[in-house]
Amino acid sequence: MNVDLIMNELVKKNPGEIEFHQAVHEVLESIEEIYNENPQFESSKIIERLIEPDRVLTFKVPWADDQGRIHVNRGFRIQFNNAIGPYKGGLRFHPSVNLSILKFLGFEQIFKNSLTSLPMGGAKGGSDFDPKGKSNAEIMRFCQSFMLELWNIIGPNTDVPAGDIGVGGREIGYLYGAYRKLARENTGVLTGKGLNWGGSLIRPEATGFGCVYFAKEMLATKGEDLKGKKVAISGFGNVAWGAALKVTELGGKVVTLSGPDGYVYDSEGISGEKIDYMLELRATNEDIVAPYALEFESGEFFQGKRPWEVDVDIALPCATQNELEKEDAEALVKNGCMCVCEGANMPCTPEAIEVFQGSGLLYAPGKAANAGGVATSGLEMAQNSMKINWSRAEVDDRLHHIMTNIHQNCVEHGTDEDGYIDYVKGANIAGFLKVANSMVDQGLF
Ligand code: NDP
Ligand code: 2IT
């Protein structure tokens, strides 16, 4: 494989899709060596087949607002690869959603799902619908219209969507209700469902919990743990919330959260009712964190700024892609940060990652560190298939075990000669090998 040649071809074929190019480039660089050592990959043209999605569906989503005005959004589902299991991946509702963003997310999902050790292929979907300022009734009508197109191509053994930015428990509920009506069946077709209708305990917390379990393993390689550590978290959504809960439980102190409007610094730590307040903020559909500083005296709001300028031991970017750039990375390193563990998908730019790895700091990419969300989705699917519910402790134990296992896999495939653990390389190689070998075994499709 020649990385430059493949990238040139990819850029030519998918012009302007910069996030997709970025995600593919990172994987190619990591797997180049192992790919070239295994001639069956080249003769089966595995990489060329992996970077082209199996299929892309785009569709119209018309809906009426509370005043009766009609709007039209675009819906997407990208079924990227199902070599190791049914297509699986979240739905994102955000005005920035386009083909490039969903292709980067769908591509990453292939490797992430492979790392979980559960049988799940890679997919992603969503819409450029903006939930900001919408009423519950509007969100419901939008979800119903979205599902009117989607239901036909998903199913418990074909494609199982879940949440992502802008899609949480409420949206999964409306989507599931519409699916059940259209398909005339009640099956485990979505994950992140409510507990009363097929959901799994721990799924809401899973991405954040998993990310912190992963950070704990990273710290242990240096003989460290979370106790007494100051932690910067970005975002205030589902992932940020779960991470804040687990950091606090393990004795760390969360000092920031953030939104598109800026960040909040709380020197006393964001714990207890302050973490519960994050759910309230998210449920307002207003998409701002500034009210935190009005609600809690110890909170200070920094408009238009990012939390990476704060002096912390650990950084958990949990908001969105490319939210931590080179200058942010330099600031974190300068302040003595020892560990950066990605809760979001691709939140650090390639230049920021270079700074982290160059400084020898512990850095883990989202496809390994945030895999706990989709892993617990896989556990929800398993429970749905068996028609039983596991206890909170059972799901949490399994999640913990899966994250430890992913960490071990990264160490095995990513440890450099000088002992530095390159988690990017480790995650990409381990995730890739299982999928690539499965594709070779199953012939040309
Ligand atoms: P949520 O919608 O619950 O929360 C995301 C929050 O981050 C939103 O409030 C969003 O606001 C905010 N945000 C977006 N951009 C920025 C920014 N530039 N600065 C600060 N805040 C921002 O989504 P999730 O918590 O589910 O997802 C967060 C990240 O985690 C995403 O990258 C997602 O792909 C990833 N992820 C999610 C998983 C899950 O199970 N939910 C699993 C694995 C990864 P706004 O809408 O205005 O942008
Ligand atoms: O990015 C992700 O892994 C998710 N949004 C979760 C996907 C899932 O199917 O649970």
Side-chain angles (χ1 to χ4, degrees):
M1 163 176 50
N2 179 320
V3 174
D4 289 340
L5 275 182
I6 296 191
M7 281 310 299
N8 286 342
E9 199 55 33
L10 182 90
V11 171
K12 217 161 65 190
K13 253 187 162 173
N14 306 277
E17 296 183 0
I18 47 175
E19 293 85 2
F20 181 46
H21 305 160
Q22 183 183 337
V24 172
H25 189 252
E26 185 207 275
V27 171
L28 294 185
E29 278 202 315
S30 298
I31 62 165
E32 185 177 11
E33 201 178 318
I34 200 136
Y35 196 90
N36 292 333
E37 284 166 12
N38 289 273
Q40 75 274 20
F41 294 154
E42 183 61 41
S43 60
S44 301
K45 285 276 178 277
I46 292 295
I47 250 325
E48 286 81 350
R49 287 162 58 198
L50 255 179
I51 59 181
E52 187 67 28
D54 287 354
R55 62 194 66 80
V56 176
L57 176 71
T58 74
F59 49 92
K60 179 174 71 180
V61 191
W63 59 281
D65 65 24
D66 291 343
Q67 283 70 46
R69 287 182 305 236
I70 291 170
H71 303 262
V72 179
N73 283 99
R74 184 172 289 171
F76 302 85
R77 185 69 179 166
I78 300 182
Q79 298 180 331
F80 227 111
N81 185 291
N82 67 348
I84 64 167
Y87 298 108
K88 180 85 194 91
L91 296 172
R92 177 177 290 193
F93 292 170
H94 194 270
S96 65
V97 161
N98 57 33
L99 209 51
S100 172
I101 292 198
L102 295 182
K103 277 164 78 174
F104 117 64
L105 289 163
F107 183 71
E108 292 263 300
Q109 201 82 43
I110 302 172
F111 307 97
K112 186 196 301 192
N113 293 4
S114 163
L115 282 169
T116 66
S117 76
L118 302 173
M120 299 183 290
K124 201 83 190 188
S127 174
D128 57 2
F129 172 73
D130 187 358
K132 187 171 174 173
K134 303 293 185 297
S135 70
N136 279 353
E138 287 170 334
I139 288 177
M140 181 180 76
R141 285 196 293 277
F142 177 81
C143 289
Q144 291 175 338
S145 181
F146 185 86
M147 192 50 91
L148 217 45
E149 277 290 333
L150 189 71
W151 78 278
N152 231 341
I153 62 151
I154 61 175
N157 296 308
T158 47
D159 185 350
V160 184
D164 193 81
I165 292 182
V167 179
R170 169 183 50 194
E171 291 76 15
I172 293 293
Y174 295 145
L175 290 164
Y176 190 73
Y179 179 85
R180 187 170 56 75
K181 181 76 181 165
L182 290 160
R184 300 193 180 189
E185 57 177 40
N186 195 326
T187 55
V189 74
L190 294 157
T191 58
K193 299 187 290 299
L195 282 180
N196 292 329
W197 36 279
S200 173
L201 287 162
I202 300 284
R203 176 62 188 91
E205 297 90 341
T207 311
F209 275 22
C211 177
V212 178
Y213 290 148
F214 199 91
K216 192 173 119 220
E217 294 299 313
M218 295 168 83
L219 291 169
T221 66
K222 301 267 185 209
E224 293 275 0
D225 61 28
L226 276 140
K227 273 191 211 84
K229 298 287 188 305
K230 276 208 297 188
V231 182
I233 293 183
S234 64
F236 65 102
N238 173 262
V239 180
W241 165 75
L245 283 173
K246 189 52 82 177
V247 166
T248 309
E249 187 191 319
L250 297 182
K253 184 171 169 187
V254 177
V255 292
T256 70
L257 50 81
S258 75
D261 53 335
Y263 79 90
V264 166
Y265 175 73
D266 188 332
S267 59
E268 289 178 12
I270 300 168
S271 62
E273 57 165 349
K274 295 173 180 170
I275 299 179
D276 299 340
Y277 183 70
M278 289 168 77
L279 296 178
E280 279 178 48
L281 276 179
R282 170 80 164 73
T284 60
N285 292 347
E286 288 305 330
D287 218 3
I288 47 173
V289 293
Y292 181 103
L294 303 174
E295 187 78 14
F296 302 105
E297 236 173 59
S298 50
E300 206 180 335
F301 176 64
F302 294 87
Q303 187 157 12
K305 298 255 188 147
R306 293 167 171 178
W308 316 127
E309 61 187 22
V310 177
D311 184 349
V312 290
D313 305 302
I314 297 167
L316 307 177
C318 296
T320 194
Q321 65 276 350
N322 293 328
E323 55 156 318
L324 195 160
E325 296 177 277
K326 187 177 178 208
E327 298 71 39
D328 304 313
E330 286 166 347
L332 283 167
V333 170
K334 192 169 134 258
N335 284 331
C337 176
M338 65 170 82
C339 173
V340 178
C341 188
E342 295 185 347
N345 285 307
M346 213 167 76
C348 300
T349 63
E351 296 76 24
I353 298 172
E354 221 175 288
V355 171
F356 292 144
Q357 295 192 325
S359 77
L361 159 161
L362 293 164
Y363 162 76
K367 65 165 77 72
N370 73 32
V374 74
T376 308
S377 280
L379 300 178
E380 182 173 330
M381 289 164 74
Q383 293 169 78
N384 290 162
S385 302
M386 292 187 287
K387 317 271 185 225
I388 59 167
N389 299 311
W390 288 329
S391 68
R392 205 178 156 82
E394 167 119 37
V395 181
D396 198 18
D397 276 359
R398 285 176 188 268
L399 167 64
H400 201 162
H401 177 78
I402 288 170
M403 297 315 296
T404 313
N405 190 43
I406 297 175
H407 183 268
Q408 256 167 16
N409 252 319
C410 290
V411 171
E412 185 182 328
H413 292 283
T415 305
D416 291 338
E417 273 169 19
D418 62 4
Y420 179 71
I421 305 167
D422 182 341
Y423 287 91
V424 176
K425 189 170 137 201
N428 283 331
I429 292 178
F432 168 78
L433 282 176
K434 182 174 173 186
V435 178
N437 285 323
S438 304
M439 289 170 75
V440 172
D441 291 346
Q442 294 172 26
L444 178 56
F445 288 104

